[in-house]
């Protein structure tokens, strides 16, 4: 392996992702126009405010083809929240007449301007990041910190790293991905001074890995990757980044270094599977697939996926505890939400073993013995070593019986998942019936049955 | 509960087990005759030796109907082992002309004399128990210790306790039973001064329970019940007594105290089961029974049962480790030996999960990834948290496939069991086929399917 190989690969990637001069100019012009329109709109309001372009397109770290312009309107921090929201929307609608309102921490206006996707977000102008009144107030501090430190050369390194994270599927701090945010990616490139140095370091990380660029951290974190926010000593920028995505970066960093190749930056998804494709895998695997299907709760992804995963874990735990061993599991969502589980064991005998206390713990032992001694349906109590044991009737002898019973509601389900399945019901698919899900979730099954790091 | 109830029960038991005067006299007369015949035989030998009646019939602690007379011939401890054996057999055959030779630590003669089962055992006359040259040399010391301390009243208490241990199935220090020896029973009655006091204490034991009647113990033991031999500070008289039999005594002691009744002293075995009876239980339980059947190795029970149990544990462990969950198991032996296992899970999918190292352990992770990356039959490697995982083809998808494969010989089998099954082969019965075993093992199945403390 020579650096030349990696350099050549990076150069080829940059050919594909570096915005050209025309793209830069079009974006700068649009941003300038938008800022000027914001100033005009602010002039009509009885408040002092300024406007600030933030995000990757403000810092030259966007990838060619990204069309996002983020403008933050900063209002005085003594303004009432209702007024901030009111003024923010007024400015937003004035600047983006065809825009619509969305809601993050407060409502804001999103709309198209000359082919760009524009977010016009109101925030408070606070003196320092730890004094923020809402999460979006932090963004201008991040922007200022990075703008000061990222020159053109480092911005290019950031773009390459972001493309690499996208290629391997580790980019995005949304709660579906639990990966690396753009801000985190930029801080890591700053930390190591470039893409290759970052890769070489990440390949050898021994999590937990901790960085504190401003050396001002005041808390400890249990996350696998900790990057103390340079603008806020109490915050881990990598808090949502899962152990799996840290491992993913490590694995693909090694892979790229040992065999530099462009395709890692643009890994395609595995092909979608149709019903026959799903059936083929299930037959080859010999597992028993079960799926709980219900209307997807009407939530944003950052709420939906954590709830679906919690529900999936709860159902898996409920099955495992009843002896139905879960082999692998995944959750999918579109119009329908699916908790999909492959079982190694889908049937159990009619009896289950129930261990009592050691005989020498006299009070408990007497209670246990008396409770079961007259049960004609039970085997025992008898002794196994120093303990009483009975073999009693098992409540559920099949996974399906459990999944279609009220006991399903005893497992830990996500709050809105629980209300949805309680109110609107749910369907349980077992065995070959699950292949019908390939119509809506062929791509998801494609990834499930061709799993990669 | 009043003591009167228990006293009445004990009195009724004693009616059944106390030898009457005629029985005592017949036994004493026979023993006296035998001793005199031993003296006659010894007179012809060029050695000084004496004879000693030992065992329960020597101490008045036998139960009515027992017909065992144990006579030990004590030779000087400087005698060569071959001479001891030679002289011992000479005396044995002279005293019991119709007797036959058996083998414990050395050969001895066993035979009938006027309806009594007589053992004529040669041993060394050593100064103290710790100086014994063979295990049987200890017996005269035990006999002397107990004879000195057991008066008629205590001997009666011993008989009641021994009958109780027999009734509940905890009597016998053979390695099939792993229960209480007669000597241990006698020491415990001595310790507590009587049957009822012993029961009340045992009901509250918190194992490990330790006694050292002569306060001379020099070792520590990890057994649940420790009674330092009054004649040997290094020996635990209760070493073979299993935790289960200690718990059994505790349970039935409580049961007898709270509800005094004679039947506990004479608990009958559950009825034997025929093929239909076994089938009925298996259907009710819904387990998958499997049995490994082979010619019983030609061993005494004290060797056979430990080997069968070791083999049973080994097979169960081999099944469990391959995902075939064992629900309960037992071993039976007669002409055939049987390892019988009921499975909760008898089938597994074609794939198995195989966890690799955490990705951050770079060298191992690389090795794991490289080993599986090109396996077309495998799913993965992929990530679960910070680890690599693959789903690979499972070696055995059914318990039967494992049990009929050479892999069976990789589990820990008893030495003679292994050679027997290797040389003479074995049969594997699965499902309904196991009911044919009821012909030979109906009583064993009766106990298995009606398990009691």
């Amino acid at each position: 392996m020579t650096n030349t190989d990696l350099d050549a690969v990076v150069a080829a990637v940059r050919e594909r992702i570096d915005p050209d001069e025309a793209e830069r100019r079009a974006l700068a012009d649009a941003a300038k126009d938008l800022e000027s329109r914001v100033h005009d709109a602010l002039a009509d309001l009885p408040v002092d405010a300024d406007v600030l372009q933030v995000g990757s397109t403000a810092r030259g770290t966007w990838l060619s083809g990204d069309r996002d312009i983020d403008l933050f309107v900063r209002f005085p921090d003594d303004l009432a929240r209702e007024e901030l929201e009111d003024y923010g929307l007024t400015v937003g609608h004035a600047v983006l007449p065809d825009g619509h309102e969305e809601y993050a921490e407060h409502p804001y206006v999103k709309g198209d301007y000359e082919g760009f996707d524009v977010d016009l977000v109101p925030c408070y102008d606070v003196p320092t990041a730890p004094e923020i009144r809402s999460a979006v107030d932090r963004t201008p501090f991040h922007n200022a910190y990075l703008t000061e430190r990222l020159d053109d050369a480092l911005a290019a390194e950031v773009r390459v790293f972001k493309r690499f994270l996208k290629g391997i599927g580790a980019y995005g701090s949304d709660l579906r991905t639990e990966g690396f945010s753009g801000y985190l990616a930029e801080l890591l490139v700053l930390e190591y001074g470039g893409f290759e140095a970052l890769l070489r370091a990440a390949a050898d990380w021994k999590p937990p890995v901790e960085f504190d660029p401003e050396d001002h951290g005041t808390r400890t974190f249990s996350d696998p990757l900790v990057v103390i926010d340079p603008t806020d000593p109490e915050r881990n920028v990598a808090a949502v980044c899962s152990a799996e995505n840290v491992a993913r970066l490590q694995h693909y960093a090694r892979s790229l270094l040992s065999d530099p190749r462009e395709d890692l930056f643009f890994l395609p998804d595995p092909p979608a599977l149709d019903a026959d494709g799903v059936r083929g895998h299930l037959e080859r695997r010999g597992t028993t697939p079960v799926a709980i299907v219900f209307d997807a709760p009407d939530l944003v992804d950052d709420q939906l996926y954590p709830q679906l995963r919690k529900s999936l874990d709860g159902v898996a735990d409920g099955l495992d505890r009843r002896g139905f061993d879960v082999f692998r599991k995944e959750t999918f969502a579109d119009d329908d939400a699916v908790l999909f589980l492959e079982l190694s064991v889908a049937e159990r005998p009619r009896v289950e073993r129930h261990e009592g206390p050691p005989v020498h713990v006299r009070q408990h032992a007497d209670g246990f013995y008396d409770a079961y001694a007259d049960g004609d349906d039970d085997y025992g109590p008898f002794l196994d070593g120093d303990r009483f044991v009975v073999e009693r009737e098992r409540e559920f002898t099949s996974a399906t019986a459990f999944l279609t019973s009220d006991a399903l509601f005893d497992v830990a389900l996500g709050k809105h998942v629980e209300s949805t399945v309680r109110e609107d019901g749910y369907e349980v698919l077992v065995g070959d019936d699950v292949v019908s899900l390939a119509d809506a979730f062929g791509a998801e099954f494609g990834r499930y049955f061709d799993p990669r790091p």
Side-chain angles (χ1 to χ4, degrees), chain A residues 260-287:
Chain A
R261 57 205 195 278
E262 204 176 328
D263 73 337
L264 285 185
F265 292 82
F266 302 96
L267 278 181
D269 269 339
L273 290 173
D274 61 10
D276 278 345
V278 172
R279 183 178 290 119
H281 279 289
L282 291 172
E283 283 171 3
R284 180 175 146 197
R285 293 159 71 80
T287 53

Side-chain angles (χ1 to χ4, degrees), chain A residues 46 49 51 192 224 292 401 405 413:
Chain A
V51 61
Y192 288 106
I292 299 177
S405 79
L413 296 173

Side-chain angles (χ1 to χ4, degrees), chain A residues 27 104 107 112 130 166 202-203 205 245 275 322:
Chain A
L27 192 135
D112 176 86
K166 286 184 187 213
W205 280 350
N245 275 315
R322 287 166 179 83

Side-chain angles (χ1 to χ4, degrees), chain A residues 148-167:
Chain A
E148 208 170 278
R149 288 163 178 81
L150 287 174
D151 58 17
D152 283 355
L154 278 173
E157 299 287 303
V158 167
R159 289 194 298 274
V160 173
F161 183 48
K162 282 166 68 170
R163 183 62 250 174
F164 185 66
L165 290 171
K166 286 184 187 213

